[in-house]
Amino acid sequence: MNKIRRQSGVLVFLTPFLIVALAVVAVLAMDAARLYSVKADMQRVVNAAATAAADEAQACSMNADIGLMKARALVAARQVGFNGNAEELEVFAGVFEPAGDGSSTLSFTPQSDIDKTNAAVVRYKRQERLSWLLPEWLFPPVELSVNAGSRKELYAALSASASTLNLEGGLLGNLLGAVLGQSNYSLDPISLQSLESTLLGVGDLLTLLGLADVTALLNAPLVDVLDATVDLVGGVTTPVGTLVSELAESGGLSGLDTGAVLSVAGDADAAKNAEFPLYDFIVSVVLNSAKALSDDGQGLINLSVDPSESPVLETLLNNSLLGSIDIQLRLGIDNPAPVVIGPARQGKNNEWLTEVSATDISLEALVDLELSIGYIGDLISALTLNIVKAETLNDIRIPLVVQVGGGSAEFTGAQCARGGSNEVDLAVYAKPAVANVETGTLSAVGDLVREPIHATILKLSIAEQPLLNVCVDADLGAKLPVVEDERYVQGYPLRCPDGDCSRVLESSGPTWVKGLDVQLDNLALDCGETSLLSILNPVIDLLKPVIETLLNIVTTVVLQGIISPLLMLLGVDLSGLNVAVVGADQLGNQLIENVEM
């Protein structure tokens, strides 16, 4: 009985403590739920703030600024209930990148240089009482800390090739024919339109080839990707499919990886949803094949222009001084330009990640002019009272060499689409190279061999007796200044279902080719003889400006109407660097909670 009495006493003694303990546990459980709710509210705040702040990262904003990033974060936080001080929200600008090669995990690196950023992380810390009911001295406040990161980035597809709309008819077919080994090759307008309106999706190529990631695609043999492209465009029964299939079998491509014609900067797998026109891809394939043919010892590529099918040259033939004109082109290619996909931000070494380089081009144009004796003969007869007669001899050959290329453009700015907008703005910084235009020819390896203009063009006679010959001797040249400048495209659509994707990033400076000033130096008509009959000196003096005008007109028209469009097709121009945006893909907002800092 005493034992039972003692146990009851202990129970009676412990009962109040058990009740208090259970009450404390209950209070702590309620406080834990409260703290969990507080932390969830804090998480909502940083999620909203990080999402808004990332709009001001370099990869998604034309005017990236850490101050604007912090301001956007605070505004968004206020909208979801944050009522603390601005200093309680820590905003870090930085970059989310794959943790390693082949890794699908993104790691965050804070950046002091806003130009290197594609993301923002917002951290929110606050002191919170552990319990509002229990004494603070017994249960001191705890620090709650949450963070969230948001990545926003625009990947643009850039090309240095131009639309075929600017190309002199037949030259693209000539270039394709040279690569395919088919003379008189032609490409009909329907096929051209199909090339420009057909989009290739990076993801579609990955699926068809059974590849896991974009890096594997870039390392895949180019001929395999071309074969997959044939399937994507409807097979060899379509004109475009036939062309791509023939290119896959052309010389020089067997050893090339796809990276030769398609380059991806930044996070390669971020470009999985990117699209680009088949036309620009094919032009890069053609340039690579042409370079391979040249490297294999087959020399420069021959192209021809039919004056009867050229509106530009047909206009020239209406000139009363000109009887006929013939042009032969020879083309040398180095450093073929690929289609480039990437973001508008800098890398670790302060270099812009996405850069498109121009193809290095050496182009020889041999222009043969036959003078029309009508106007010149009448002029000479009138000046000599019909005593002196004139007849034409040799054509005037103008051997032109144009060397251009080596320029580049960096993708420096992108304004992402926001709200209900489906349009973006883009900026590149273009650094064109100077184009050289001189008289001369190209060697088999593409080196310039200087050659002045020289031709014996007229024979002057009296009563069938030769008096003297008239020659043309001159040097011709045109060094064109170029300007480094920022170029913009505004309102570029993220979706172009009709395939009309290409928009040229126009130079803000003058287009030098439109105001081309051809310079003829050391022009002489005396065939190198110093003892011309003095009676004919007035005739020679009047012929000089006539011949000079003709040479200027012909050379300017050929440079502007034939050579310049061909160079634009190949990614360069007499006026500098030609750059177009041919596709854009804005990554979906990637929100990551509990980022490791």
Side-chain angles (χ1 to χ4, degrees), residues 254-265:
S254 59
L256 291 179
D257 292 338
T258 305
V261 297
L262 179 66
S263 175
V264 179

Side-chain angles (χ1 to χ4, degrees), residues 89 149 236:
L89 293 180
V236 294

Side-chain angles (χ1 to χ4, degrees), residues 298-311:
Q298 300 187 37
L300 304 176
I301 292 177
N302 294 308
L303 304 175
S304 61
V305 180
D306 188 345
S308 65
E309 296 180 0
S310 168

Side-chain angles (χ1 to χ4, degrees), residues 441-455:
T441 58
L442 291 173
S443 69
V445 294
D447 294 330
L448 170 66
V449 180
R450 290 296 307 275
E451 178 185 323
I453 299 171
H454 175 77

Side-chain angles (χ1 to χ4, degrees), residues 495-555:
R495 296 287 178 268
C496 45
D498 297 328
D500 185 17
C501 300
S502 185
R503 292 270 298 277
V504 175
L505 289 136
E506 299 282 0
S507 173
S508 58
T511 304
W512 297 103
V513 70
K514 292 182 179 178
L516 187 65
D517 182 20
V518 176
Q519 297 176 342
L520 281 174
D521 298 320
N522 306 316
L523 177 63
L525 304 181
D526 59 10
C527 295
E529 300 174 6
T530 57
S531 58
L532 287 174
L533 294 176
S534 59
I535 190 175
L536 294 179
N537 284 345
V539 176
I540 300 301
D541 290 341
L542 284 172
L543 277 179
K544 185 176 289 187
V546 172
I547 298 298
E548 184 175 17
T549 299
L550 178 64
L551 295 182
N552 269 289
I553 291 174
V554 170
T555 305

